[in-house]
């Protein structure tokens, strides 16, 4: 029966096998080590690393977190040790975690993205998630994720050097999310993940100025889920590559909604901060839902809600 | 697998003074002085837990002293006996109590007194003096009497003790080490005067946090060695590493 349960949830994305469709989202899970203190992260479908850049980044100054109703605005600014340091110090530890390792890659220029992809292609990461959607870095990042033509350019270039399955992580701030998705696929994306955070802001009324030094920052959490779901639904109708749904997922019900909208898998982000065990609870919840509903294979419900 | 995230029952939640509360919950932990927990009520809002330092720990009960300030602590202030809350922890590095020896000054500003009770109880074979400053009302100081030699109080209003700031009455002269927690401007002043006397000083920092365990990088503070996570690398830092310009 246990083996049966495992089969029910098994998911494939670009020939990479996932134990289940629940992946820890980039920037909320470090390099997996912190959450290993709570549970065996090998039970997850996969882990997306903290956003990496070619060179080490100290991240943004000033306030980095601001909680809102059912949401969190962050301005971390891709603080990370750089790709070389990641490959040398973090990746060997991650490879022992017995789950799919997805390297999230950010960049400030097409050349920087290309260099990063080259390096990661020679490493032991299982997949690369191209982050063209981070609203928290001044140059690049989300700038590549607004206009479809710009995204097409960066994805085409990067694809030429990429020897791993390439996931492109889309921004909800794109001018037209469906057009963006289609163009990224034309440029060679093997899969898409959406959505990253919404460009947002908050004002400190006592200081009479924006809360964040960068003025704008990224909104995530339960409040963005309905919009994320709508975008995933729309995109899944128009593309043939696997889509990973992201945005405010905090329960198995949310995850099932994304799968019924057509997502092959989901990433769970901010909810990890609300409850450090949430990914496991979502996996168990999906399993129980399938048992209760007589669903033998998750494929049976994928995209089932689409009209 | 050494961190726990679990439900605990509220044993007591009392209002000590104006907006200051003491929350006592059932729980058996191995806690170091200066560590903290992420506390979340079962309410859906606010979504994030709040980092609160351990005030006291004895016989299966953990106490937290907190100031009602925003949405999170306002919800906490409404907790009743037997209510369930979620606790993640203990978290952070804490004070290195085993290696702190001799004549010690504990310097606290307002709610910065919170982590210091369990800290003075954890320091062995030390001769401790407490310096504490408040705006107006004095709270929780009596609890320290059994564990410290002298208590020096300053209030901004002059209601109790010296009229002014705690930094006006504190001098590191004759102390082997100083432990400090309070507003950043106050800690910076204490670090500065400790530098003049070449006295080691440890500060406990406070930042807004999301994960509390070192994953999100939301609570970083700048140090002489680059950005450090207050939740995981701290909250206790060597004073001059954080207040570089002091």
């Amino acid at each position: 029966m246990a083996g049966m349960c495992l089969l029910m949830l098994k998911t494939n994305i670009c020939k990479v096998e996932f134990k289940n469709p629940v992946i820890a989202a980039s920037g909320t899970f470090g390099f997996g080590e912190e959450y290993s203190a709570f549970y065996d992260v090998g039970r997850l479908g996969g882990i997306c690393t903290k956003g990496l850049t070619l060179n080490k980044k100290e991240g943004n100054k000033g306030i980095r977190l601001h909680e809102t109703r059912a949401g969190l605005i962050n301005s971390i600014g891709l603080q990370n040790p750089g790709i070389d340091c990641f490959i040398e110090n973090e990746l060997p530890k991650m490879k022992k975690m017995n789950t799919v390792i997805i390297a999230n890659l950010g960049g400030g220029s097409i050349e920087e993205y290309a260099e990063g992809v080259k390096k990661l292609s020679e490493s032991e990461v299982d997949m690369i998630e191209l982050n063209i959607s981070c609203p928290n870095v001044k140059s690049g990042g989300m700038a590549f994720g607004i206009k479809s033509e710009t995204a097409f350019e960066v994805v085409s270039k990067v694809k030429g050097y990429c020897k791993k399955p390439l996931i492109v992580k889309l921004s909800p701030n794109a001018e037209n999310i469906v057009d963006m998705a289609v163009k990224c696929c034309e440029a060679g994306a093997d899969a898409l993940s959406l959505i990253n955070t919404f460009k947002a802001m908050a004002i400190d009324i006592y200081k009479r100025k924006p809360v964040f030094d960068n003025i704008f920052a990224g909104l995530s959490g339960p409040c963005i889920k309905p919009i994320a779901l709508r975008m995933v639904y729309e995109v899944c109708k128009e593309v043939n590559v696997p889509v990973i749904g992201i945005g405010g997922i905090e329960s198995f019900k949310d995850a099932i909604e994304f799968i019924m909208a057509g997502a092959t898998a989901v990433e769970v982000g901010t909810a990890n901060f609300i409850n450090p065990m949430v990914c496991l609870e979502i996996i168990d919840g999906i399993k129980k839902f399938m048992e209760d509903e007589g669903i033998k294979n998750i494929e049976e419900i994928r995209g089932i809600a689409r009209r | 697998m050494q961190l726990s995230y679990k439900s605990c029952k509220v044993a007591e939640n009392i209002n000590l003074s104006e907006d200051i509360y003491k929350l006592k919950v059932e729980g058996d932990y191995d806690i170091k002085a200066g560590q903290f927990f992420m506390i979340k009520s079962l309410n859906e809002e606010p979504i994030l837990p709040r980092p609160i330092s351990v005030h006291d720990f004895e016989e299966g009960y953990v106490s937290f002293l907190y100031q009602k300030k925003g949405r999170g602590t306002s919800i906490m202030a409404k907790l009743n006996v037997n209510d369930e809350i979620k606790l993640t922890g203990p978290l952070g590095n804490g004070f290195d109590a085993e290696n702190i020896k001799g004549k010690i000054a504990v310097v606290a500003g307002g709610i910065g007194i919170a982590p210091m009770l369990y800290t003075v109880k954890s320091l062995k074979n030390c001769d401790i003096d407490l310096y504490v400053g408040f705006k107006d009302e004095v709270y929780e100081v009596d609890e320290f009497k059994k564990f410290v030699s002298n208590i020096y109080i300053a209030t901004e209003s002059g209601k109790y003790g010296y009229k002014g700031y705690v930094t006006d009455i504190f001098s590191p002269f004759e102390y082997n080490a100083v432990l400090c927690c309070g507003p950043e401007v106050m800690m910076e002043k204490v670090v500065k005067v400790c530098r003049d006397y070449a006295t080691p000083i440890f500060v406990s920092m406070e930042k807004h946090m999301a994960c509390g365990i070192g994953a999100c990088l939301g609570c970083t503070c700048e140090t002489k060695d680059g950005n450090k996570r207050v939740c995981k690398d701290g909250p206790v830092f060597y004073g001059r590493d954080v207040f570089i310009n002091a």
Side-chain angles (χ1 to χ4, degrees):
Chain A
M1 199 57 207
M4 175 77 184
C5 286
L6 288 176
L7 272 181
M8 291 164 63
L9 290 177
K10 215 183 244 182
T11 302
N12 272 281
I13 302 174
C14 314
K15 295 192 182 125
V16 177
E17 192 171 277
F18 291 69
K19 286 180 195 120
N20 58 66
V22 179
I23 302 164
S26 178
T28 65
F29 218 74
F31 298 109
E33 198 177 342
E34 287 79 18
Y35 285 89
S36 299
F38 293 98
Y39 61 87
D40 173 13
V41 295
R43 289 186 57 196
L44 298 173
I47 300 175
C48 290
T49 68
K50 169 70 194 163
L52 300 164
T53 47
L54 194 57
N55 300 309
K56 179 184 167 142
K57 269 178 98 82
E58 285 287 354
N60 292 338
K61 290 192 184 298
I63 286 178
R64 289 182 167 192
L65 300 167
H66 181 82
E67 188 174 343
T68 61
R69 286 275 177 216
L72 171 66
I73 313 180
N74 88 76
S75 177
I76 310 295
L78 292 183
Q79 180 183 333
N80 80 94
I83 290 173
D84 288 338
C85 179
F86 161 74
I87 291 173
E88 196 183 324
N89 301 315
E90 304 296 341
L91 187 55
K93 285 186 268 177
M94 291 190 89
K95 288 305 286 181
K96 290 188 188 129
M97 289 173 185
N98 190 26
T99 186
V100 175
I101 305 302
I102 304 170
N104 182 285
L105 175 67
S109 66
I110 292 187
E111 292 68 33
E112 198 187 327
Y113 277 114
E115 278 307 305
V117 161
K118 279 186 210 166
K119 284 187 186 241
L120 289 169
S121 286
E122 300 306 320
S123 79
E124 285 194 274
V125 303
D126 297 300
M127 307 177 94
I128 296 172
E129 184 180 58
L130 197 70
N131 180 355
I132 54 166
S133 41
C134 177
N136 289 327
V137 282
K138 283 216 171 77
S139 62
M142 192 181 77
F144 293 100
I146 305 291
K147 291 198 179 295
S148 312
E149 298 72 30
T150 327
F152 181 87
E153 208 181 323
V154 66
V155 175
S156 317
K157 175 85 175 187
V158 156
K159 180 67 181 174
Y161 301 108
C162 193
K163 295 178 189 163
K164 307 276 182 186
L166 181 68
I167 306 165
V168 179
K169 185 169 182 179
L170 305 184
S171 168
N173 308 302
E175 286 179 343
N176 178 329
I177 194 75
V178 174
D179 188 52
M180 172 63 72
V182 169
K183 288 282 191 320
C184 285
C185 292
E186 285 171 10
D190 299 306
L192 300 172
S193 60
L194 62 149
I195 55 175
N196 204 323
T197 55
F198 280 86
K199 185 175 173 183
M201 74 178 295
I203 291 173
D204 184 327
I205 59 168
Y206 299 102
K207 292 183 180 158
R208 292 151 169 77
K209 58 175 196 163
V211 164
F212 298 105
D213 282 10
N214 274 0
I215 305 173
F216 305 122
L219 175 66
S220 65
C223 62
I224 70 167
K225 197 208 80 180
I227 313 177
L229 184 65
R230 183 268 294 175
M231 289 183 166
V232 167
Y233 182 99
E234 285 183 327
V235 165
C236 286
K237 282 213 291 197
E238 302 299 328
V239 301
N240 292 316
V241 301
V243 169
I244 302 171
I246 320 169
I249 296 170
E250 57 167 348
S251 69
F252 82 89
K253 288 182 181 167
D254 295 336
I256 296 278
E257 277 193 80
F258 276 86
I259 289 165
M260 288 186 171
T264 302
V266 295
E267 288 181 21
V268 178
T270 303
N272 289 302
F273 307 152
I274 304 171
N275 167 5
M277 306 295 288
V278 74
C279 284
L280 289 193
E281 290 174 15
I282 291 173
I283 295 166
D284 292 341
I286 295 174
K287 212 181 285 174
K288 180 159 190 310
F289 174 79
M290 289 170 66
E291 282 162 5
D292 292 349
E293 297 286 313
I295 303 156
K296 289 190 182 61
N297 189 305
I298 199 151
E299 289 299 331
E300 292 171 35
I301 55 167
R302 180 159 299 125
I304 202 167
R306 286 222 299 270
R307 296 281 179 277
Chain B
M1 323 260 150
Q2 59 281 44
L3 268 185
S4 85
Y5 164 74
K6 61 185 180 193
S7 294
C8 294
K9 257 195 186 150
V10 173
E12 191 178 273
N13 189 29
I14 48 173
N15 183 207
L16 292 185
S17 150
E18 268 186 295
D19 50 358
I20 305 296
Y21 292 76
K22 186 149 71 171
L23 171 71
K24 195 170 173 180
V25 302
E26 293 175 16
D28 218 355
Y29 293 96
D30 188 8
I31 303 172
K32 279 175 67 184
Q35 286 191 303
F36 69 96
F37 281 82
M38 294 299 278
I39 299 183
K40 176 142 174 41
S41 73
L42 298 187
N43 292 44
E44 295 211 341
E45 279 282 316
I47 58 170
L48 296 177
R50 294 294 186 263
I52 310 279
S53 61
V54 172
H55 179 54
D56 200 4
F57 174 55
E58 54 184 2
E59 291 156 20
Y61 290 96
V62 192
S63 305
F64 302 93
L65 190 73
Y66 63 96
Q67 184 169 25
K68 187 170 88 171
K69 215 168 172 184
R71 283 203 288 151
T73 44
S74 296
I75 295 271
M76 277 175 65
K78 287 181 191 146
L79 288 169
N80 293 311
V81 173
N82 285 331
D83 279 356
E84 268 190 24
I85 55 172
K86 294 282 190 184
L87 250 62
T88 304
L91 301 165
N93 60 354
F95 290 104
D96 186 8
E98 278 170 25
N99 290 311
I100 295 172
K101 299 229 172 345
K103 197 159 166 53
I104 306 300
V106 167
V107 186
I111 194 63
I113 199 172
M116 294 310 189
L117 182 61
Y118 186 55
T119 300
V120 297
K121 287 169 87 170
S122 303
L123 294 174
K124 303 291 176 220
N125 308 315
C126 289
D127 180 14
I128 309 167
D129 288 343
L130 173 69
Y131 295 80
V132 58
F134 297 99
K135 274 205 163 62
D136 185 45
E137 288 292 332
V138 171
Y139 46 82
E140 208 56 10
V141 170
D142 287 347
E143 300 293 319
F144 286 76
K145 280 185 177 159
K146 270 202 289 186
F147 309 100
V148 303
S149 305
N150 298 291
I151 297 177
Y152 304 99
I153 299 174
T155 53
E156 286 173 45
S157 66
K159 195 165 180 178
Y160 298 94
Y162 173 85
K163 184 176 188 307
Y165 297 111
V166 67
T167 44
D168 300 337
I169 55 170
F170 170 69
S171 163
F173 180 67
E174 77 178 345
Y175 293 108
N176 296 103
V178 175
L179 314 185
C180 182
C181 184
E184 287 195 10
V185 277
M186 168 250 175
M187 290 199 285
E188 183 158 20
K189 272 189 185 168
V190 179
V191 170
K192 199 169 215 159
V193 63
C194 284
R195 159 173 281 184
D196 297 340
Y197 286 84
T199 309
I201 170 164
F202 302 92
V203 295
S204 177
M205 302 295 289
E206 183 180 50
K207 290 273 178 186
H208 286 290
M209 295 179 186
C211 73
I213 58 171
C216 74
L217 311 182
C219 68
T220 49
C221 73
E222 289 177 48
T223 73
K224 71 170 181 42
D225 305 313
N227 282 337
K228 296 278 180 194
R229 301 164 294 184
V230 170
C231 67
K232 184 94 183 267
D233 306 312
V236 177
F237 293 93
Y238 194 60
R240 283 187 282 275
D241 289 355
V242 184
F243 296 102
I244 307 164
N245 302 318

